[in-house]
Amino acid sequence: MAAGGEALNALWLTATEHNAGLLPISGPIEVPYTRHELRRIIGDLGAPYLVVRLGLLDSASAKPAKTPRLPLDQVIEEASS
């Protein structure tokens, strides 16, 4: 399974570089019929690990508002000597 995690990590980084959203979904793999059908579709490539949904932002639509951040003095605590 380590290879599956590494592949997901590489895919997620690539999607981020291309401004794409990625949503891993494990639910379909847990259903025996769906798992069997996915295995049939991918043939000899291996066993399905999870389903991934990719999405691109519509460049014509407004971007979501930025999430507000706390000031640093409320987030970072200095260690006392």
Side-chain angles (χ1 to χ4, degrees):
M1 268 207 234
E6 290 174 8
L8 176 60
N9 186 43
L11 178 60
W12 213 318
L13 289 171
T14 302
T16 301
E17 288 174 353
H18 289 75
N19 295 319
L22 185 139
L23 176 64
I25 308 170
S26 63
I29 303 303
E30 297 169 9
V31 178
Y33 175 78
T34 308
R35 184 174 52 246
H36 172 75
E37 287 302 304
L38 287 169
R39 183 172 283 174
R40 184 182 62 76
I41 290 168
I42 63 174
D44 293 332
L45 294 176
Y49 180 68
L50 54 82
V51 175
V52 178
R53 180 178 179 182
L54 289 170
L56 296 174
L57 288 176
D58 181 4
S59 59
S61 67
K63 293 186 179 182
K66 292 192 176 204
T67 306
R69 302 290 183 222
L70 291 173
L72 288 180
D73 62 343
Q74 291 183 12
V75 179
I76 299 175
E77 295 178 11
E78 293 187 31
S80 56
S81 304

